[in-house]
Amino acid sequence: MPYAKITHHDKNVSTQNDNSHLGFVFQAKLHKDLFFDYDYREETSNGAKIVRTGYVYGDKVTDVKLTKKNLFFLDVFPVHLKIAQTDVSNFRRSRVIKTTLDVNKKIDLAIKYVDNSGKSFFKKNVAQNRNYLVAEFGYKF
C-alpha cells in the first residue's frame, strides 16, 4: 500500500518539523490474530531544522511491527500486544512494547514503553536517548 503525507507548519516554522514523506506499507497476516507490518518512508521536504546549529535534516525511516490481537482476556476485555522498532537511519532508533486493553468497541486503554537510542552525532544527545513509559486513553471514531 503506497501512501503520502504532507505536513506544513505556518507558525514558528524555524522550530517545527516539516516531515512530509512518501512511503509504502506491507502487512502480512501470519495467523488469525497475528500481523507483521513493514513501513518504509522517505522525507520529501527539507526535514527538520535543528535550532541550535541551523542544520536542516532529512532522513529515511524503516518501521517494523508485530501485532498480536487477543493475546489474552481480562474477564471479557481483550488485551493486545504490539512490539515495534523504528529505525531512522541517521537520527535514532526506537523500540516500543505496547499493551492495549479494549474497554468496549470505542474506548481502549494502553501502556507503552518506548526505548530511544540516538545515532550518529545524536548519540550523546539526552533528548534522543530518553526512555518513556506512556499511558494512553484511546477513542475510536
Side-chain angles (χ1 to χ4, degrees):
M1 296 175 277
Y3 67 91
K5 175 183 173 185
I6 298 172
T7 306
H8 178 69
H9 299 281
D10 292 333
K11 297 179 182 176
N12 202 12
V13 177
S14 64
T15 61
Q16 295 292 329
N17 292 344
D18 180 3
N19 63 349
S20 302
H21 57 264
L22 293 172
F24 68 91
V25 175
F26 169 78
Q27 184 180 73
K29 185 174 183 179
L30 304 175
H31 196 262
K32 178 183 172 190
D33 292 328
L34 185 63
F35 301 92
F36 171 79
D37 290 279
Y38 176 84
D39 181 354
Y40 176 80
R41 56 193 178 271
E42 289 190 20
E43 291 185 350
T44 57
S45 64
N46 288 331
K49 185 172 185 181
I50 300 166
V51 178
R52 202 180 277 171
T53 63
Y55 178 72
V56 177
Y57 189 83
D59 218 332
K60 298 175 175 93
V61 180
T62 304
D63 191 7
V64 291
K65 288 182 241 170
L66 187 65
T67 304
K68 173 65 174 122
K69 296 203 176 244
N70 304 322
L71 182 65
F72 61 90
F73 288 80
L74 289 176
D75 196 20
V76 295
F77 306 113
V79 176
H80 314 297
L81 175 69
K82 183 181 291 183
I83 300 170
Q85 178 170 306
T86 302
D87 198 22
V88 183
S89 61
N90 295 310
F91 195 47
R92 76 170 180 263
R93 174 176 288 143
S94 295
R95 294 176 184 96
V96 174
I97 297 175
K98 179 178 179 180
T99 56
T100 306
L101 172 72
D102 286 346
V103 175
N104 58 36
K105 289 183 179 183
K106 295 271 188 192
I107 297 172
D108 62 44
L109 302 172
I111 295 178
K112 174 170 67 173
Y113 174 73
V114 181
D115 175 14
N116 285 318
S117 54
K119 293 174 151 184
S120 185
F121 55 92
F122 295 102
K123 278 192 267 200
K124 299 185 193 289
N125 184 337
V126 174
Q128 293 303 318
N129 291 305
R130 290 187 182 148
N131 297 334
Y132 299 93
L133 186 60
V134 180
E136 296 178 350
F137 171 79
Y139 181 80
K140 299 174 187 128
F141 293 93

